[in-house]
Amino acid sequence: THSSAYNYRANKMAAFLASLIGEDPSPYQNEAEQILKAMNKRLWMQGKGCWAEYQDFMGHRRLHESPGLWTIYHALDSDVADPFQAYQATRDVDTEIPHIPVYADGLEEGYATIATTNWLPYSWSINNVAFAEVMHTALAYFQAGRPEEAYRLMKSSFLDGMYLGNSPGNLGKSAFMMLPVESVIVTLEIR
């Protein structure tokens, strides 16, 4: 889905640029329309309210029904979603993606950061809690017309990295809340 979303957006932008320089935009417009039509026909899962991560190329051509964060935020960034699809896709993040509480003494409850996928078994490269992924997802929430949820997710990520992390004021790659327990204990002893 995210690759198709990129290609949709690229063709829309090529059509726009072609019209600016006096060239025929229709080949790019037609390609964008075909990509969007195929995405909605083959990758949008109406009953689930989100796009599939991908469709198998061979065999039974099954859909991978658990999209990663990048699938949601790239689709919204690339303008492939109508307003209801955008809402539904972010609701899928709310209900299907693991939420990791952000907590500290004196901090009110309700803050949580999110994993990049719900895929199992856990694997570092596909199931991180990465600031860039969380922030891009917060942007998708804003784009979907869900500013309160976007703000809470963004604030949770800032609290996690900039205030509770190993290097206050820093946004590293991965969330502090995901460090192994041994790292947290060593960090606390050093301070």
Side-chain angles (χ1 to χ4, degrees):
T1 294
H2 64 278
S3 298
S4 296
Y6 278 147
N7 284 308
Y8 169 78
R9 174 111 172 135
N11 278 282
K12 280 194 69 164
M13 295 311 303
F16 173 73
L17 293 172
S19 67
L20 286 178
I21 62 171
E23 296 292 327
D24 180 16
S26 60
Y28 305 108
Q29 289 170 335
N30 292 338
E31 184 68 16
E33 290 168 10
Q34 292 300 315
I35 291 169
L36 183 59
K37 183 178 175 184
M39 287 181 72
N40 283 322
K41 180 180 179 185
R42 295 176 54 189
L43 296 171
W44 179 256
M45 299 178 292
Q46 188 67 37
K48 195 164 178 345
C50 65
W51 295 272
E53 182 67 22
Y54 59 85
Q55 182 178 30
D56 287 339
F57 178 67
M58 298 175 7
H60 295 289
R61 302 185 56 82
R62 292 186 179 121
L63 295 177
H64 185 291
E65 295 185 2
S66 290
L69 292 181
W70 52 81
T71 294
I72 305 304
Y73 65 67
H74 284 308
L76 271 64
D77 256 359
S78 298
D79 298 324
V80 302
D82 64 36
F84 190 58
Q85 285 177 316
Y87 173 80
Q88 285 184 302
T90 56
R91 282 292 299 140
D92 187 72
V93 172
D94 292 344
T95 60
E96 299 298 323
I97 296 294
H99 286 58
I100 299 100
V102 174
Y103 54 87
D105 288 340
L107 181 65
E108 67 184 65
E109 291 185 21
Y111 292 105
T113 190
I114 53 178
T116 53
T117 71
N118 62 0
W119 302 350
L120 294 172
Y122 172 83
S123 178
W124 175 258
S125 64
I126 58 160
N127 204 342
N128 294 333
V129 180
F131 290 113
E133 302 282 345
V134 176
M135 292 300 185
H136 208 152
T137 304
L139 174 61
Y141 276 73
F142 279 115
Q143 292 167 325
R146 301 182 65 203
E148 293 84 12
E149 294 84 353
Y151 179 76
R152 182 157 290 292
L153 181 57
M154 189 175 64
K155 185 174 179 179
S156 296
S157 193
F158 280 133
L159 286 169
D160 176 32
M162 296 187 81
Y163 294 96
L164 303 173
N166 286 336
S167 181
N170 181 33
L171 280 175
K173 178 197 173 294
S174 299
F176 175 71
M177 294 297 159
M178 289 300 291
L179 288 174
V181 172
E182 298 81 25
S183 298
V184 174
I185 292 170
V186 169
T187 301
L188 294 175
E189 289 174 359
I190 292 172
R191 292 185 184 167

